[in-house]
Every structure is written in structure tokens, then in C-alpha cells.
Amino acid sequence: MSFKDEKGIHTDFKERMTYGDYLDLESILNSQHRLSNHHDEMLFIIIHQVSELWLKLTIHEIKAASDAIRKEKFDSAFKKLARVSKIQNQIIQAWDVLATMTPAEYLEFRDYLGQASGFQSYQYRMVEFALGYKTEHVLKIYEKDPELLQELQEAYEAPGLYDFAIEALAKAGFDIDSEVLERDLTKTYEANESVEQAWIEVYQNVDQYWDLYELAEKLVDIEDWMQQWRFRHMKTVERIIGHKQGTGGSSGVGYLKKVLDHYFFPELWNIRTKL
């Protein structure tokens, strides 16, 4: 069957919205502005733009999941957290595409980037904040834009996904230390014995605490994928620039290796040894 046999296909869009109109494709597809004439700069720009779109959706889903957990609507939260994991998988695959660029090719346009770097991705910072990893010093990067800085400051001071999970443990009757429930939300979350004991009991009584058990596993999925993303990021950077300093001034591979040691939800990993 050919196109001409499809009698119902709409072809008159003089006064109708098209696919391109709905997606604002003209704006999106005209947002790749190469600073050099090198072929691979287009790859570099598109990979990072696509990743930022996925990060935008990640933030959207985490916020909705956090609200659902707060309202004890766990089924809704599970759907959104499962979607986050699928998004993370997509972002990880993007590194494989970028890794087709060789060191010699990147050097042809790297100097055009100046001090611009993925390290400055404010959406990535918002994901970190939402997962409980708070680093105040990075806020200085965004002082150029007061409105953006305010948005980041609010995210920095807000409870994260894991705070709502711990609150759910307390609502279920687990004895969670007040220092955790009333903690300074601008500090990176650190493991707590009462939280660990609560999760151990959840895993030992799965039928009784099914929703909390499923929530825990969804959080482990997200952290697992996050660490895989960080690893692929580190190896892609090492493959392309070795151990050179990053364009944003970071130590590059050295910095990326350090963050691999951080756990967002430490008790959920600790209990695997203790169960």
C-alpha cells in the first residue's frame, strides 16, 4: 500500500496545527549553533541538548513522584519512578554515541567552548538536589542569572526524594530519629541507624510493608542507573580527553571518579550486607 492509497491522511494544514507546530520543531532544530566548522561539533551539541531534555523530564517525574509519596499514593509514585529509570537508560546510551568522537576530532573545536562545561548543567544540579546530594559551592556558578539562582536555591533548600521516603517510614510507625526528620535539608544526606533498621524490617516483612518495599527497590533502581550514568560519563571523558582538566575548571576524570563513591540512599545498600 502506498501513500496515495491512504485516503484519510490530512494534507491541508493551512489553518491547522501540524506536528512541527505542536513540537515547536523550528525552534528546536535551529538551536544548534556551531562555533567552529568542524563536522563533529554538531554531534557534541545535539548529545548535550538531548540529555538536557531528558533531565528536564527526570526533574518533572521526580517532583511528581515525591508529591505522590507524600500523599501516600504509592502506585502513582512507582509508575513515575519506573519512568525515571527508563529515562536514565536513554541518557546512558547517549554516551555511546558521543564516544564515537575521537580525541583528535574533539581537539579541533574544544577551544571554542571557552569555560563552558557540562559541569555547569543546572538541571543536573537539580537532579542531584532532588536525590539529596547538596553542594552549596556550586550555586556560585549561577550568580549570572538571578532568576535561575533563586530556582536552584529553592531546590537546594527543599526536601529530596529520599526525605519523603523516610517520612513514609515514620508514617508507617517506624521509630525514626528526630534528627533525621528535622534535619538541615541543605546538607547532603548521611546514613542513619534508625533509618537502616526500619528498612531492614521492611525487607524482612515484605508482605506487611509491600508499598515501602517496592518504594525501596525503585529507589535502588534509580541510584543504580545514576551510578552507571556517572561511570559512562567518566569513561567517555577519559576516552576523549584523558586526564586533562575540564573546560569548566574541574579535574575532569579525577572529579568524576570521586563522585562515583557517593551513595544517595546509603541505608538501602548497607542493608544488603546485613540481611
Side-chain angles (χ1 to χ4, degrees):
M1 181 179 288
S2 65
F3 176 80
K4 66 180 181 181
D5 296 321
E6 291 288 334
K7 304 301 183 183
I9 292 178
H10 297 291
T11 57
D12 182 4
F13 288 95
K14 290 185 177 68
E15 296 182 5
R16 296 176 180 174
M17 179 178 66
T18 66
Y19 171 81
D21 294 333
Y22 175 69
L23 295 177
D24 197 12
L25 280 181
E26 184 176 356
S27 174
I28 293 172
L29 297 179
N30 285 288
S31 295
Q32 294 75 45
H33 307 297
R34 287 186 293 170
L35 299 180
S36 73
N37 291 320
H38 195 274
H39 175 83
D40 281 12
E41 190 180 357
M42 184 65 77
L43 162 69
F44 189 81
I45 292 171
I46 288 177
I47 286 292
H48 287 86
Q49 287 181 337
V50 169
S51 294
E52 288 294 332
L53 286 172
W54 282 127
L55 287 173
K56 181 174 184 176
L57 184 56
T58 296
I59 295 164
H60 178 70
E61 298 296 341
I62 289 178
K63 284 182 177 179
S66 295
D67 188 54
I69 294 167
R70 182 177 61 82
K71 295 176 181 177
E72 299 184 74
K73 296 180 178 180
F74 292 106
D75 286 346
S76 177
F78 298 156
K79 173 66 179 291
K80 293 170 177 63
L81 294 177
R83 182 175 293 162
V84 170
S85 292
K86 294 297 184 182
I87 294 167
Q88 290 174 299
N89 184 42
Q90 290 295 311
I91 299 178
I92 290 169
Q93 297 303 315
W95 293 121
D96 293 337
V97 182
L98 187 60
T100 64
M101 184 173 62
T102 68
E105 290 163 342
Y106 182 47
L107 286 173
E108 290 290 327
F109 63 87
R110 188 183 191 227
D111 287 346
Y112 286 91
L113 303 180
Q115 281 74 55
S117 166
F119 186 80
Q120 297 144 16
S121 168
Y122 72 85
Q123 290 198 124
Y124 180 73
R125 296 303 168 194
M126 292 187 76
V127 170
E128 285 191 328
F129 291 170
L131 297 182
Y133 185 58
K134 306 291 183 76
T135 46
E136 183 179 22
H137 64 276
V138 302
L139 293 175
K140 291 184 66 64
I141 296 171
Y142 311 100
E143 290 177 350
K144 175 182 178 180
D145 186 338
E147 289 188 14
L148 174 58
L149 180 61
Q150 178 61 33
E151 184 179 354
L152 281 159
Q153 187 72 42
E154 290 174 3
Y156 174 72
E157 295 173 358
L161 178 61
Y162 199 43
D163 292 302
F164 291 110
I166 293 172
E167 182 181 282
L169 288 172
K171 287 179 180 177
F174 291 101
D175 186 16
I176 305 298
D177 292 343
S178 60
E179 65 188 61
V180 177
L181 298 174
E182 300 167 9
R183 75 184 189 87
D184 182 353
L185 296 172
T186 66
K187 305 297 183 184
T188 294
Y189 180 80
E190 295 182 359
N192 174 270
E193 180 66 24
S194 68
V195 174
E196 185 172 297
Q197 288 304 313
W199 285 126
I200 287 176
E201 189 169 340
V202 166
Y203 274 76
Q204 289 175 335
N205 299 276
V206 172
D207 291 340
Q208 183 179 353
Y209 299 112
W210 176 260
D211 284 340
L212 292 171
Y213 169 73
E214 185 68 13
L215 174 59
E217 285 299 293
K218 288 290 187 288
L219 294 176
V220 169
D221 286 342
I222 288 173
E223 175 140 6
D224 192 342
W225 284 113
M226 189 70 172
Q227 292 298 71
Q228 290 186 53
W229 183 91
R230 284 173 158 179
F231 180 78
R232 288 298 300 131
H233 184 188
M234 181 270 292
K235 293 306 293 184
T236 303
V237 170
E238 185 176 20
R239 176 172 177 157
I240 296 173
I241 69 167
H243 289 263
K244 293 186 183 75
Q245 186 180 63
T247 50
S250 75
S251 58
V253 169
Y255 170 79
L256 296 173
K257 281 184 176 180
K258 281 193 298 184
V259 296
L260 280 171
D261 292 330
H262 176 261
Y263 285 91
F264 295 101
F265 317 129
E267 296 90 351
L268 293 177
W269 296 91
N270 292 344
I271 65 171
R272 279 156 162 74
T273 304
K274 298 182 178 181
L275 284 172

